[in-house]
Amino acid sequence: MGGVFEPLAGGGAAVALDEIEISILRSLAVQLLELIGPGEPEPAEDADPLAVLFASEGPTEPPSDPALARLFPDAYGGPGAAPGEDPEELRARSAEFRRFTENDLRTRKREDALAVVRSLDALTPAGDGAAVLELAGELPLRWLGALNDLRLTIAARLEITEDEQSGEFYRLPDDDPRKPMVMAYLWLGGLQETLIETL
């Protein structure tokens, strides 16, 4: 089971992680939480749900940070836009969509990253420093979301725009400062792939 997710008998997935892997995953998830930000304050228990929905408008402009722009892309336009569509109209539609969805999307991404941190914090490594992480219920999907967000963030920092482009990073010399991030990107991809296969 070393380093890859495998199915659990009753459903879910499990992976063996050593102390270094646990530390790296936890650190990356915490950095993702810091990048996404603290989020909106919780509404009062007696608040009118409809009023809360319309009062909690999100941003209308895309984030300036390339990693956040990758996590929260425009809903309209971009490479998939139909030829001849008015760019101003696409920007307006994207702004409207972002205004009503980005806060919820940020909340979900924060919850996914927090689930990773809490899962790792609950592990008790054995004498050899390894531990088996078991994910059941909603946790496999939370982990899948967080692994995807981590890979998107690292890809943005490395300026990887397509998976095929990551092949050039296999040949980086050991003294290249990008090497640790490339190794993390590839490792997270392996975890993500085996978790998908397991589910």
Side-chain angles (χ1 to χ4, degrees), residues 144-186:
L144 199 53
L147 289 171
N148 187 60
D149 290 343
L150 288 170
R151 288 193 79 233
L152 286 173
T153 301
I154 292 171
R157 296 293 186 237
L158 292 171
E159 299 180 355
I160 297 173
T161 55
E162 299 176 19
D163 274 344
E164 296 78 36
Q165 189 184 353
S166 65
E168 72 187 62
F169 290 109
Y170 283 107
R171 297 176 293 281
L172 287 179
D174 289 341
D175 61 350
D176 191 302
R178 300 172 295 172
K179 185 82 172 205
M181 290 303 286
V182 169
M183 298 304 292
Y185 176 79
L186 296 172

Side-chain angles (χ1 to χ4, degrees), residues 39-50:
E40 298 290 310
E42 289 292 319
E45 284 187 33
D46 60 345
D48 175 16
L50 195 56

Side-chain angles (χ1 to χ4, degrees), residues 83-196:
E85 288 199 68
D86 179 18
E88 287 301 317
E89 174 64 24
L90 292 175
R91 271 193 285 280
R93 288 176 23 208
S94 287
E96 188 72 5
F97 186 82
R98 182 179 298 279
R99 185 167 68 114
F100 290 110
T101 60
E102 187 171 311
N103 285 343
D104 288 340
L105 186 56
R106 280 182 184 267
T107 298
R108 185 181 57 75
K109 290 180 181 299
R110 262 191 307 279
E111 289 170 355
D112 289 350
L114 270 173
V116 169
V117 171
R118 290 179 179 141
S119 300
L120 295 171
D121 286 349
L123 287 179
T124 307
D128 63 355
V132 175
L133 172 70
E134 295 186 355
L135 303 176
E138 69 174 15
L139 280 178
L141 293 178
R142 293 250 178 235
W143 267 74
L144 199 53
L147 289 171
N148 187 60
D149 290 343
L150 288 170
R151 288 193 79 233
L152 286 173
T153 301
I154 292 171
R157 296 293 186 237
L158 292 171
E159 299 180 355
I160 297 173
T161 55
E162 299 176 19
D163 274 344
E164 296 78 36
Q165 189 184 353
S166 65
E168 72 187 62
F169 290 109
Y170 283 107
R171 297 176 293 281
L172 287 179
D174 289 341
D175 61 350
D176 191 302
R178 300 172 295 172
K179 185 82 172 205
M181 290 303 286
V182 169
M183 298 304 292
Y185 176 79
L186 296 172
W187 176 55
L188 291 169
L191 285 175
Q192 184 180 20
E193 184 178 336
T194 60
L195 183 53
I196 290 169

